[in-house]
Amino acid sequence: AMAEQQEARPAKRIRRGAGNAPGNNEGGDGAIAQVEAPQAQAQGVVAEAQAAEQGATDEPGITRLDRLCAPVEHSGAGLSKGDLNNLVQAGIHCVETAAFMPLRKLEQVHGIGQIKAARIMAAAKQLVPMRMVSAAEMLQMRNNMVQLSTGSSQLDGLLRGGVETGQITEIFGEFRCGKTQLCHTMCVTCQLPIEKGGAESKALYIDTEGTFRPERLVSVAKRYGLNEQDVLENVTCARAYNAEHQEKLLVEAAAVFCESRYALLIVDSATGLFRTDYIGRSELADRQQALNKFLRILQRIADEHGVAVLITNQVMATPDSSAPSFMGPQIKPIGGHIIGHASQTRLMFRKGKGEQRICKIYDSPHLPEGEAVFAISEGGIRDP
């Protein structure tokens, strides 16, 4: 969701060209038509590839799989429609997914052998730029990055603008400290204009604890003066019932992101189902491996589609901590080092006085340690 990336790849969506279907020949030209049909079809695929380069700016900045149907000499892989269906069934909905995945994983897709996988990877590297950049270019890209407002100017100031797109931001804390309320608020703020801290885009909410409430979106929409029905239509909600279903929902989310403009993916919470589906030390290793795979898919979605990924995390008490008792109960986030390494920015929420809550920068590659106070109101997260 970086502005520079949107300019570089604003409309790689494929469009149907007029040369897809060969013309009908009358009289005794039937044999000639049969010979010229493959050439006409190839020209149609090339026309699609050329049309993709001139796509509209209001379409998602992804590269459609149709581009891989073009011949190899035209930056394609010469795939058939059946090959594309096999890729889609394997959860590959755009060229970016194929470009970022390991070659051995691509070879394991049904109907895609080593030869086709090599052609797909070669074409993907031409269609999706993956090059080295200087630190100056990277700084310029980060300066153009879209950041989503949290609803509180103090919290936005602590984050130096808001929640970053293309990154994973984790929020952890005890119950009733504002994690879910922030998620609901950001479902609305991401729909605001860019100059007001939004991205003019939709949000997808994966609910694992049964705490999603659309009426809260209505309350937040009234605060910002937005049309309530439009706000509700721009938020997609999915309920996850177990850890495996939670992972499958990410595959469906990747397909949805290819069809419309999204800026925010919320998972509330990311670890709750893993705690219940994997019990005891005997299943601890399996739980961590499954959680690591889930978080890796989240990062891949953030890289491919440039969306901001916001996850909430539960906590556990550490009664064996050496901290003095007057400091209150000591807690730490669930997931251990796995989720700690996967998240770029980690925020710790704790209760304050009344409706006030305190956010602390727990870990970040660029933000210094600090705290900000915010409040929970009828209109969502706001300044106290």
Side-chain angles (χ1 to χ4, degrees):
M2 297 180 182
E4 182 169 311
Q5 289 181 338
Q6 291 292 338
E7 294 176 1
R9 301 185 308 165
K12 289 191 175 180
R13 299 288 299 276
I14 192 69
R15 284 187 170 187
R16 292 291 178 185
N20 282 355
N24 295 326
N25 293 314
E26 299 180 356
D29 295 337
I32 299 178
Q34 294 178 1
V35 175
E36 292 180 350
Q39 181 178 1
Q41 292 176 357
Q43 291 175 353
V45 174
V46 175
E48 291 183 0
Q50 294 174 348
E53 297 294 339
Q54 303 172 355
T57 57
D58 59 346
E59 294 180 339
I62 56 98
T63 309
R64 294 289 298 272
L65 284 178
D66 304 62
R67 296 290 299 275
L68 298 178
C69 292
V72 177
E73 56 269 18
H74 292 284
S75 301
L79 300 184
S80 64
K81 294 300 181 181
D83 295 330
L84 296 187
N85 291 334
N86 291 333
L87 293 177
V88 171
Q89 291 177 2
I92 303 174
H93 300 277
C94 60
V95 179
E96 282 78 3
T97 305
F100 296 154
M101 70 186 308
L103 179 61
R104 60 183 179 85
K105 294 292 185 180
L106 192 59
E107 294 175 351
Q108 295 174 2
V109 176
H110 176 71
I112 305 296
Q114 294 183 355
I115 298 178
K116 287 184 180 179
R119 292 206 307 261
I120 293 173
M121 192 61 67
K125 290 182 179 180
Q126 297 183 38
L127 297 173
V128 180
M130 294 186 294
R131 60 183 180 87
M132 295 183 182
V133 298
S134 65
E137 291 180 73
M138 181 61 70
L139 179 60
Q140 183 63 33
M141 293 170 63
R142 288 192 54 80
N143 290 336
N144 294 332
M145 178 185 297
V146 175
Q147 293 180 288
L148 306 180
S149 173
T150 61
S152 167
S153 60
Q154 294 191 20
L155 189 52
D156 289 343
L158 180 67
L159 300 176
R160 293 185 178 178
V163 176
E164 293 184 349
T165 52
Q167 310 287 331
I168 297 179
T169 301
E170 174 199 353
I171 307 171
F172 68 90
E174 295 180 287
F175 64 94
R176 207 177 66 83
C177 64
K179 302 186 298 295
T180 299
Q181 297 301 318
L182 177 63
C183 293
H184 283 74
T185 303
M186 292 196 62
C187 282
V188 179
T189 59
C190 75
Q191 303 180 39
L192 296 173
I194 295 179
E195 59 271 13
K196 294 184 178 181
E200 301 177 3
S201 303
K202 301 179 181 181
L204 193 151
Y205 197 115
I206 297 180
D207 180 17
T208 69
E209 299 179 342
T211 55
F212 178 76
R213 297 293 183 269
E215 51 267 31
R216 290 294 294 138
L217 303 183
V218 174
S219 301
V220 180
K222 291 180 180 179
R223 167 190 170 187
Y224 288 99
L226 301 176
N227 184 279
E228 301 172 8
Q229 190 62 33
D230 291 341
V231 168
L232 294 175
E233 291 292 338
N234 288 331
V235 178
T236 305
C237 178
R239 177 69 192 276
Y241 296 97
N242 55 66
E244 294 180 0
H245 184 213
Q246 183 175 332
E247 182 179 332
K248 291 179 180 178
L249 286 177
L250 292 187
V251 179
E252 299 180 18
V256 171
F257 291 163
C258 292
E259 301 300 329
S260 187
R261 182 187 178 96
Y262 282 78
L264 179 63
L265 170 61
I266 295 174
V267 184
D268 183 24
S269 73
T271 56
L273 294 177
F274 288 94
R275 296 184 73 181
T276 57
D277 291 355
Y278 299 89
I279 303 175
R281 289 185 177 273
S282 60
E283 296 184 343
L284 179 60
D286 294 335
R287 187 193 78 174
Q288 292 301 90
Q289 290 178 3
L291 180 61
N292 190 26
K293 181 181 178 182
F294 175 79
L295 294 171
R296 184 66 191 93
I297 298 175
L298 280 178
Q299 184 61 61
R300 193 177 67 188
I301 290 177
D303 294 336
E304 294 170 6
H305 303 280
V307 299
V309 177
L310 181 65
I311 62 175
T312 65
N313 191 7
Q314 300 177 351
V315 296
M316 61 181 295
T318 55
D320 56 342
S321 175
S322 58
S325 59
F326 68 85
M327 296 183 63
Q330 300 299 304
I331 60 174
K332 64 180 180 179
I334 295 297
H337 297 291
I338 294 293
I339 196 168
H341 290 301
S343 304
Q344 277 80 41
T345 300
R346 309 186 76 186
L347 306 177
M348 178 180 177
F349 282 11
R350 68 177 189 270
K351 302 180 184 70
K353 295 182 179 179
E355 296 298 328
Q356 294 185 0
R357 303 293 185 268
I358 302 172
C359 173
K360 177 182 178 181
I361 301 292
Y362 191 80
D363 180 40
S364 175
H366 68 289
L367 297 174
E369 289 189 7
E371 293 185 351
V373 180
F374 64 93
I376 302 175
S377 67
E378 181 67 21
I381 300 297
R382 64 191 317 159
D383 291 332

